[in-house]
Amino acid sequence: MAIDIEAVRAQQRELNMISDEVASVKRRLKRHQEALDAAWKSTEIKGLDAAIEDVVRRLNRLAGDLEDMGHDVMVAGEEIKAEEEAAEAEAEEARRLAADVNI
């Protein structure tokens, strides 16, 4: 069964889109954090900032992991496609040689 490289590309695009959405959430969270820091002057804000920074780090890691997975999916798909094409070329050559022998 041949690999559908277009489906692989679609999977990569989907992972990249999710990564972009995660990055967007991170940016919005940072904007809310800045607004809180500007409006709320108390000792509690330090704990809230630490929690937000932890979430931001996790979102960064998630976005990077998703991009890496998208890249890995595409590389694996291209490798499989190349292997399939090489096997088909070998099979075609074997058929041609067999036909030459039967002549």
Side-chain angles (χ1 to χ4, degrees):
M1 180 172 166
I3 189 166
D4 182 356
I5 203 71
E6 289 306 314
V8 171
R9 286 188 181 111
Q11 290 172 339
Q12 180 188 30
R13 282 191 300 273
E14 180 69 20
L15 288 167
N16 288 342
M17 286 179 8
I18 294 169
S19 175
D20 291 345
E21 290 174 18
V22 169
S24 176
V25 168
K26 180 198 72 161
R27 286 189 299 273
R28 288 193 311 259
L29 181 59
K30 288 297 286 179
R31 282 195 303 272
H32 288 299
Q33 180 186 21
E34 291 166 2
L36 275 173
D37 286 347
W40 190 5
K41 304 296 181 199
S42 72
T43 56
E44 293 89 357
I45 197 68
K46 290 180 183 181
L48 188 56
D49 275 344
I52 291 172
E53 289 301 324
D54 182 54
V55 171
V56 167
R57 277 190 299 279
R58 291 175 186 215
L59 290 171
N60 276 335
R61 191 170 36 249
L62 176 60
D65 289 348
L66 287 165
E67 287 181 19
D68 291 345
M69 280 192 289
H71 177 265
D72 293 347
V73 163
M74 196 63 220
V75 167
E78 288 170 346
E79 288 173 356
I80 292 168
K81 184 71 173 171
E83 290 171 5
E84 289 175 346
E85 289 171 350
E88 180 59 33
E90 287 178 22
E92 181 61 33
E93 180 65 14
R95 285 189 292 272
R96 188 188 64 74
L97 290 173
D100 288 348
V101 170
N102 290 331
I103 293 180

